[in-house]
Amino acid sequence: MNLDGNIIREGSTQLFVPGIISERGPGKIEGRVFFNRQMAFNRDVSVAMFHSVVRPRKCLDAMAATGARGARICHEAPGNYRFIINDKDSLACEYARKNVELGSLGNAEVSNADLRCLLAEEKFDYIDIDPFGTPIPFVPSALQGMSRKGVLAVTATDTASLSGTHPGKCRRRYMANSQRNPFLHESGLRIMIGTMVRMAAQEDKGVTPLLCYYADHYFRLFLNVKDGAGRADASLEQLGMMSYDKATGERKVGEGKMGPMWLGPLMDHEAISEAAVPNGLECQERARQHFEIWKEELDVPFYYETNELAAMLKLSPPGRDELLEAMGSIGKVSRTNFSPTGFRTDRPLKEVLETFRSIC
Ligand SMILES: C[S@@+](CC[C@H](N)C(=O)[O-])C[C@H]1O[C@@H](n2cnc3c(N)ncnc32)[C@H](O)[C@@H]1O
């Protein structure tokens, strides 16, 4: 077939992509076969995870479009695994085949199926779900097709629903209450993980975050999924509610109307501390910085926004280094990947505000 398109380079992989591609936000769809340059960082992180953290044997890129993710992983993080690159659109599969050919990817093969059919018949120990918008309709199939132990990677671009802009949609899709707040991407991500935990528990599977983050208007989750009723119960125990008081800035964890949401760690620190960022990524410096912050980021929910505290106290925000140093003198403090002006601390709000005042 004579396919319309061009060869581009992303990371160190050559990719054949359609002539018309999406150059804007992650949810902007252009052309029949989707490729979005702005998701390069998302694919970079997948490559880095395969390099040193995720070690599967049988992988499925269930919604692959041009197969860019699978092709990049196979080329840039070679290993002893098989990678099935699947899309229900036959034209997308033509691009994916071309990319497998272009990279001479011996361990990759293309499949043209509805993921729900494929996952009803075959099991994988790495499944990637990357839909337009919410992944929820595809999660039951992914859980069904997961081996006894594996990694489920999910991208969700419906961040507005999860982060309080559309609370009704959040209730319907995620069975949880959301509310706008200064740390809305963290609460949105935690609601999303919480829903995954509850869906997996229905099938006696436990879910724990391997690495979950927000970037460029999407949430990305790498979840460890393991069979076992006990594991499902243990995951459910980490769910809870929270509240946020706009007037005082107080966050109460374990009670309130927001949620249910995941209140445990957003990553497996032991695994992420081992992560090595390979060279040759598309957004090399950005990936390096993200992993650096992930490795140091405290597990305390929820982060503070410097601008939020400054506005509450009617003060101008201090410099970041000065702030981190001052907070570090009263307790543990870390940067957060959720916001360049955010920070986490294990100290209560009262102490945070006193320290903040003392340096402004
Ligand atoms: C956002 S795109 C995927 C982008 C791709 N992962 C990348 O990194 O470029 C979503 C893709 O899911 C495919 N899709 C939608 N529903 C599907 C289904 N039920 N089974 C398999 N593929 C599906 C669409 O054809 C589309 O190509």
Side-chain angles (χ1 to χ4, degrees), residues 314-334:
K314 299 194 172 51
L315 295 167
S316 11
R320 184 185 169 107
D321 291 346
E322 195 187 359
L323 178 74
L324 290 177
E325 197 185 320
M327 292 295 164
S329 69
I330 59 162
K332 288 188 186 154
V333 67
S334 77

Side-chain angles (χ1 to χ4, degrees), residues 43-269:
R43 290 185 283 267
D44 278 345
V45 175
S46 296
V47 169
M49 292 295 276
F50 265 73
H51 234 267
S52 45
V53 181
V54 179
R55 303 213 183 280
R57 278 179 303 188
K58 194 174 166 201
C59 316
L60 176 67
D61 187 353
M63 313 178 89
T66 61
R69 187 189 306 276
R72 281 200 58 196
I73 292 173
C74 291
H75 183 246
E76 297 177 48
N80 194 15
Y81 55 79
R82 261 180 73 211
F83 215 111
I84 315 297
I85 296 176
N86 176 72
D87 202 283
K88 74 169 184 189
D89 182 343
S90 57
L91 185 59
C93 292
E94 294 296 333
Y95 284 88
R97 273 188 205 102
K98 188 123 185 165
N99 280 319
V100 169
E101 225 177 84
L102 197 61
S104 309
L105 307 173
N107 58 339
E109 60 195 85
V110 175
S111 142
N112 181 196
D114 188 307
L115 67 87
R116 290 171 274 219
C117 302
L118 188 58
L119 288 163
E121 288 180 356
E122 272 189 70
K123 296 229 182 264
F124 298 85
D125 58 3
Y126 175 89
I127 299 174
D128 203 304
I129 303 283
D130 181 11
F132 299 118
T134 181
I136 290 298
F138 306 108
V139 172
S141 302
L143 291 169
Q144 192 181 349
M146 182 59 74
S147 312
R148 290 184 60 75
K149 179 176 159 215
V151 173
L152 175 56
V154 178
T155 306
T157 54
D158 59 334
T159 55
S161 315
L162 284 153
S163 306
T165 307
H166 309 297
K169 228 179 205 179
C170 185
R171 260 193 305 277
R172 292 194 303 278
R173 278 185 189 159
Y174 294 95
M175 300 169 289
N177 294 319
S178 57
Q179 181 200 326
R180 279 193 79 75
N181 60 56
F183 48 90
L184 76 183
H185 293 132
E186 183 176 349
S187 53
L189 176 61
R190 288 181 182 279
I191 286 177
M192 162 113 208
I193 301 169
T195 308
M196 303 291 288
V197 165
R198 286 185 287 158
M199 292 173 88
Q202 290 170 336
E203 311 217 10
D204 284 347
K205 290 176 189 288
V207 164
T208 48
L210 179 55
L211 177 67
C212 298
Y213 66 94
Y214 166 82
D216 301 331
H217 312 292
Y218 63 82
F219 293 128
R220 179 77 171 152
L221 289 70
F222 291 90
L223 301 168
N224 277 319
V225 181
K226 287 185 189 162
D227 276 3
R231 290 198 177 101
D233 289 339
S235 296
L236 285 172
E237 268 164 31
Q238 304 233 44
L239 302 190
M241 307 297 284
M242 71 108 26
S243 69
Y244 167 69
D245 183 335
K246 196 171 171 210
T248 61
E250 192 73 59
R251 296 121 159 87
K252 286 201 180 117
V253 177
E255 58 181 276
K257 289 197 175 135
M258 234 192 297
M261 63 174 77
W262 174 258
L263 295 171
L266 291 177
M267 74 194 86
D268 175 340
H269 277 280

Side-chain angles (χ1 to χ4, degrees), residues 291-320:
F291 274 95
E292 183 182 294
I293 298 179
W294 283 325
K295 287 179 186 186
E296 79 175 43
E297 195 156 349
L298 289 176
D299 272 334
V300 189
F302 288 81
Y303 75 90
Y304 289 103
E305 253 310 333
T306 310
N307 297 333
E308 167 205 1
L309 301 183
M312 255 174 57
L313 297 172
K314 299 194 172 51
L315 295 167
S316 11
R320 184 185 169 107

